[in-house]
């Protein structure tokens, strides 16, 4: 079976991605590492536990990681995900933070990968602070990964957080820079524009949530707020084209779960802009080779949407 380690800032689409992985056949989730992002790292830990509880999978360890980016202060995406990260639909039965592991996320990441050399796929659906810290502590880490799957960055300089910055990269540009430059392992990117071009139609979402299961009821609760926001005029504009829901993080997860999910990708060296009047945090794609970098990432271009809908459906069964 495939071994996955997932690094999240557990907002709504992170939750969807985790549930997709838990439902996938032949996938073993070795742990969930948490990081600041959509909300505080404490909320992220709580949310990860809530998702695991909803899936009867509380045996999977949850680790707390970085509370802040490498430089400066954290931003959040409360407006979209709700201030608690899961749609501000609190649940009195939610597990407490005492269930979070004593070991920190960065140590756990290094330990788990070293215990399973060549076998772990690391899926990062959040600001890349934990991954950046891990590679600085253990530079051999990337060489021991089976693959790295990231939701983040952009290819057409269309931001969702700043003019040119996608949230996960804009929330910690230095970390994104370190990861894109230091992780010389097979790297797959689900970038913002690609996810916008691959929306899930609202009719699918309706059928998805209408399933008569506890998981679907849980999802309907945490999802309500972002559905409402997604349907406002401002967001429809930001989401580039067409209507529908963008479960950004689930694309990175689906690619890690199923090798045949990506149908077409571009292969280029990538990096991140660290300074600039409007461009800090923007991903840079070196289509010509100016950067003289040997490592090239796979930038997702076309994926099997039929498969995607099937995987998503299964996630709430
Ligand atoms: C990314 O930002 C977060 O709000 C989402 O969870 C996703 O990881 C999209 O830009
Ligand atoms: Ca996320």
């Amino acid at each position: 079976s495939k071994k996955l380690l997932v690094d999240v800032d557990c907002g709504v689409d992170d939750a969807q991605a985790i549930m997709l992985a838990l439902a996938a056949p032949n996938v073993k989730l070795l742990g969930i590492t948490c990081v600041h992002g959509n909300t505080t790292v404490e909320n992220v830990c709580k949310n990860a536990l809530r998702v695991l509880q909803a899936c009867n999978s509380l045996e999977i360890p949850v680790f707390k990681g970085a509370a802040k980016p490498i430089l400066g202060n954290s931003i959040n995406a409360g407006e979209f995900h709700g201030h608690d990260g899961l749609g501000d639909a609190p649940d009195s039965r939610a597990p407490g933070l005492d269930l979070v592991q004593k070991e920190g996320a960065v140590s756990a990441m290094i330990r788990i990968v070293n215990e399973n050399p060549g076998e772990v796929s690391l899926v990062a659906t959040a600001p890349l602070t934990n991954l950046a810290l891990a590679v600085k502590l253990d530079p051999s880490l990337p060489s021991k990964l089976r693959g790295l799957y990231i939701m983040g960055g952009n290819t057409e300089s269309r931001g969702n957080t700043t003019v040119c910055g996608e949230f996960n990269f804009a929330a910690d540009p230095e970390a994104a820079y370190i990861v894109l430059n230091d992780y010389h392992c097979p790297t797959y990117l689900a970038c913002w524009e690609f996810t916008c071009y691959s929306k899930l139609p609202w009719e699918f979402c309706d059928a998805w949530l209408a399933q008569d299961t506890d998981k679907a009821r849980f999802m309907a609760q945490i999802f309500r707020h972002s559905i409402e926001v997604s349907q406002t005029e401002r967001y429809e504009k930001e989401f580039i084209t067409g209507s529908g829901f963008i479960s950004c993080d689930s694309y990175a997860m689906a690619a890690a779960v199923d090798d045949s999910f990506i149908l077409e990708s571009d292969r280029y060296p990538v990096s991140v802009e660290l300074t600039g009047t409007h461009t800090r945090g923007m991903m840079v794609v070196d289509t010509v080779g100016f950067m003289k970098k040997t490592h090239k990432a796979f930038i997702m271009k076309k994926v099997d949407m039929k498969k995607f809908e099937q995987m998503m459906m299964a996630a709430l069964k």
Side-chain angles (χ1 to χ4, degrees):
S1 72
K2 271 197 173 162
K3 296 180 179 170
L4 257 50
L5 187 58
V6 187
D7 190 72
V8 300
D9 60 341
C10 208
V12 178
D13 58 330
D14 301 76
Q16 296 170 346
I18 294 170
M19 291 174 84
L20 185 154
L22 290 172
N26 300 321
V27 165
K28 192 166 163 27
L29 197 47
L30 301 179
I32 299 181
T33 53
C34 299
V35 69
H36 70 95
N38 289 322
T39 181
T40 64
V41 70
E42 286 78 19
N43 282 342
V44 172
C45 292
K46 273 186 217 157
N47 295 348
L49 290 167
R50 277 179 72 189
V51 173
L52 290 175
Q53 184 183 49
C55 298
N56 286 319
S57 298
L58 275 173
E59 72 286 354
I60 295 173
V62 171
F63 305 91
K64 182 171 147 192
K68 283 182 160 215
I70 308 256
L71 288 184
N73 287 315
S74 42
I75 56 172
N76 67 68
E79 201 192 315
F80 187 77
H81 294 271
H83 294 288
D84 73 353
L86 288 186
D88 292 323
D91 173 4
S92 53
R93 294 159 313 155
L97 280 177
D98 49 309
L99 287 190
V100 175
Q101 302 294 309
K102 298 273 171 300
E103 185 184 16
V106 177
S107 330
M109 202 177 265
I110 293 171
R111 175 181 56 76
I112 293 171
V113 174
N114 276 285
E115 282 169 0
N116 301 275
E119 289 182 37
V120 179
S121 294
L122 182 53
V123 186
T125 63
L128 296 167
T129 321
N130 286 344
L131 276 73
L133 295 172
V135 75
K136 292 302 177 192
L137 284 171
D138 181 357
S140 79
L141 193 74
S143 68
K144 294 172 185 155
L145 285 174
R146 183 168 185 276
L148 172 61
Y149 299 80
I150 299 173
M151 189 284 136
N154 46 10
T155 50
E156 300 166 21
S157 64
R158 302 172 86 146
N160 61 9
T161 300
T162 58
V163 184
C164 298
E166 176 281 329
F167 182 83
N168 291 337
F169 280 27
D172 193 342
E174 279 69 25
Y177 182 94
I178 290 168
V179 170
L180 294 185
N181 286 287
D182 286 6
Y183 278 70
H184 289 185
C185 55
T187 305
Y188 304 86
L189 298 173
C191 296
W192 170 243
E193 294 91 340
F194 154 78
T195 67
C196 288
Y197 296 135
S198 315
K199 292 187 181 75
L200 285 166
W202 290 118
E203 304 81 66
F204 169 83
C205 296
D206 292 342
W208 188 50
L209 297 174
Q211 299 184 86
D212 184 17
T213 65
D214 287 342
K215 288 184 203 172
R217 281 182 281 275
F218 170 74
M219 183 53 65
Q221 272 181 7
I222 65 168
F223 198 7
R224 191 167 301 134
H225 178 77
S226 5
I227 292 180
E228 274 167 23
V229 181
S230 294
Q231 292 176 342
T232 58
E233 210 180 306
R234 188 195 133 205
Y235 274 86
E236 296 234 315
K237 216 179 253 160
E238 187 180 303
F239 292 171
I240 299 181
T241 170
S243 81
F245 186 70
I246 313 172
S247 185
C248 310
D249 294 338
S250 303
Y251 297 94
M253 189 66 85
V257 161
D258 185 337
D259 292 334
S260 62
F261 176 64
I262 304 178
L263 299 177
E264 250 178 72
S265 52
D266 280 329
R267 225 184 150 193
Y268 292 119
V270 286
S271 191
V272 178
E273 187 67 287
L274 294 179
T275 57
T277 310
H278 301 294
T279 53
R280 175 166 157 80
M282 180 182 88
M283 190 170 99
V284 179
V285 185
D286 188 9
T287 53
V288 174
F290 287 111
M291 291 195 253
K292 309 252 176 295
K293 286 203 337 180
T294 48
H295 182 59
K296 297 176 179 170
F298 293 92
I299 305 170
M300 292 183 209
K301 228 173 138 180
K302 196 172 167 214
V303 294
D304 190 333
M305 284 305 286
K306 217 183 171 123
K307 227 175 219 172
F308 190 58
E309 291 195 0
Q310 284 164 0
M311 287 191 249
M312 291 291 279
M313 265 303 169
L316 301 187
K317 285 241 147 47

